[in-house]
Amino acid sequence: MTDVIALGVENTNDIHQELVDISKKRVLIIEDIGEMRLMLKSLMTSMGYANIDVEPSGQSAIKRILERPYDVVLSDYNLGGSIDGQQILETSRKNYSQDHSTIFIMITADTAYESVVSVLEYQPDSYLVKPFPPAAFFRRFERVQKQKKTFEGINTARKENDFEKMEAQAKAVMVQYPHFASQCLKIIGESLYARGRYKDAKSHYMLIIQKSKNLAWAHYGIALCELKLGTVAAAIKKLEHTIGLSRHFLSAYDLLADAHEDLGNLEDAQAIMSSVLEVSPRSTERALRLAQISMQLNDWPTAEQAYSKVIRLTRETSHEKVEYYYEYLKCLTNMMTNNSDNSKLADKFKRTLIRLRTFGKANPAAVSNSFRIEIQQYLARDHVGEAIKSWKQWNRLIQSGQATPLSDAQKHTLKKRLGLL
């Protein structure tokens, strides 16, 4: 990574080349306050960056991050929408998992962020608390650039899957820069694990814990190794300890739920996913997983709440899917079947059905599935007359080509259930 702030003046050709390189780098600024967006863009432009995208919301920012890689991401923490800066950081770290060269700086007005950032699983390269002068931004940015430069060889080896070289370079960096020891030890553990040396990796992490017993990532590393070594119970204890040390270590919850599911402990897996959603309430993936586990348990109220969250988080985004509506309507149907007071549930069902048909109106299969679910709901509640009305409307749409047709066998079965034969 080019260190633009520390540029000398001896070689103008080198300076020109570095500025050209900088101008080609992609920058993403995520900030919901207009004045702050302009200031951040101005700061980046003053350093020679020209390829700058600006987004006012977390949803649109995540879409960009999933579409293309960025060299620099500057994100506000509290974006005011359904997605915050920490989720953007998590998405970028996962999406660019093999490339650690991206600079991610968190910007926040929340002074409490300073007290939790050190225990977060996905940590920004740096952060700034508003308000801050331009000089503070430049100093922080220069420091991050230098660190990225130090780890450049390690990052290249990681992208090439040369894990032995990655380990050797981490050891060299640790000798030359002792203040980067924690990052280097983490990289060495990653390298041993990636090479399938699970016992060696476990021993490595255990030695780290002997010196620094509260490093959540080291406990998590041991848990990963325990799972590979087949000692699931030990892994579960380590994951629980990891979460005890850092409730923001999101991957520990995911892995703990995996372990419980593998053991057939669906209730425990469900409890874990409920817990992680308290820490990461805007995670679509985790809400979806909670919904799916709850449906396996026939826990329809929990599944309904989880699918409702999924729908809220994905509505009018590229992640919105008709399948979420199908599953949500199934939950409501099962709840109405076992509930004497169905007025509120029926209202939810109706509103969701309208949204499904609006969203999926250009998809004949989605239209047909919406009527299939509606009829099932009416029949489950013994509202045969309403079910027949729904079938007649569905049949008209089939005739017009707006809904996919049923096979003769399917039509015969449906008419028989409706008492039309």
Side-chain angles (χ1 to χ4, degrees), residues 111-381:
T111 54
Y113 186 76
E114 188 172 5
S115 64
V116 303
V117 66
S118 62
V119 297
L120 292 172
E121 176 192 358
Y122 295 100
Q123 298 180 357
D125 295 301
S126 190
Y127 69 95
L128 285 160
V129 177
K130 302 175 188 176
F132 55 83
F137 177 86
F138 291 136
R139 284 196 302 270
R140 198 67 59 90
F141 196 85
E142 180 183 14
R143 192 181 308 158
V144 174
Q145 284 182 313
K146 288 180 177 179
Q147 181 173 333
K148 292 292 184 181
K149 189 70 176 177
T150 300
F151 285 85
E152 189 174 52
I154 294 172
N155 185 45
T156 300
R158 180 187 284 109
K159 288 191 286 187
E160 294 172 350
N161 292 323
D162 190 343
F163 298 109
E164 288 188 17
K165 183 178 179 181
M166 191 171 91
E167 179 181 349
Q169 293 207 8
K171 289 177 178 178
V173 168
M174 189 162 53
V175 171
Q176 189 174 359
Y177 304 99
H179 57 288
F180 288 144
S182 181
Q183 294 98 312
C184 292
L185 288 169
K186 193 173 183 180
I187 289 165
I188 292 168
E190 176 191 344
S191 170
L192 291 168
Y193 182 85
R195 285 143 61 195
R197 294 173 55 183
Y198 306 123
K199 289 183 179 179
D200 292 336
K202 178 182 173 182
S203 297
H204 171 76
Y205 288 124
M206 289 181 73
L207 286 172
I208 293 170
I209 288 172
Q210 286 178 11
K211 296 179 180 179
S212 304
K213 63 180 181 180
N214 292 328
L215 288 176
W217 60 262
H219 289 276
Y220 180 74
I222 293 175
L224 286 171
C225 296
E226 297 284 18
L227 287 174
K228 288 294 185 180
L229 294 169
T231 49
V232 180
I236 287 174
K237 286 185 179 180
K238 272 297 174 187
L239 290 167
E240 290 173 344
H241 190 65
T242 302
I243 293 168
L245 289 171
S246 174
R247 66 187 294 265
H248 298 279
F249 207 107
L250 303 178
S251 293
Y253 294 90
D254 298 333
L255 199 61
L256 184 55
D258 288 341
H260 281 303
E261 277 203 86
D262 289 343
L263 294 174
N265 302 331
L266 290 182
E267 291 87 354
D268 291 329
Q270 182 192 46
I272 292 300
M273 295 317 297
S274 294
S275 297
V276 72
L277 281 168
E278 292 177 7
V279 181
S280 179
R282 298 171 182 174
S283 171
T284 301
E285 291 179 3
R286 296 184 179 100
L288 181 59
R289 186 172 183 187
L290 175 60
Q292 292 168 340
I293 293 172
S294 299
M295 288 188 78
Q296 290 182 65
L297 291 168
N298 293 330
D299 182 351
W300 305 112
T302 302
E304 183 269 334
Q305 291 177 8
Y307 270 119
S308 178
K309 180 186 286 288
V310 171
I311 288 171
R312 288 198 308 273
L313 291 172
T314 60
R315 182 164 179 164
E316 295 180 354
T317 74
S318 59
H319 302 291
E320 188 175 16
K321 296 181 180 179
V322 292
E323 290 79 9
Y324 299 154
Y325 292 98
Y326 299 156
E327 299 303 312
Y328 180 64
L329 291 169
K330 286 180 187 177
C331 294
L332 290 174
T333 298
N334 280 282
M335 290 173 70
M336 284 189 280
T337 303
N338 301 300
N339 195 321
S340 57
D341 182 13
N342 290 328
S343 57
K344 290 184 179 179
L345 296 174
D347 184 57
K348 283 185 179 181
F349 191 100
K350 183 178 180 181
R351 284 187 281 109
T352 305
L353 196 65
I354 291 171
R355 174 58 189 170
L356 169 58
R357 286 175 180 164
T358 301
F359 174 60
K361 63 183 178 181
N363 183 345
V367 174
S368 276
N369 284 329
S370 74
F371 279 98
R372 185 178 287 108
I373 293 169
E374 182 181 34
I375 290 171
Q376 289 172 351
Q377 174 260 152
Y378 281 135
L379 291 175
R381 296 166 58 203

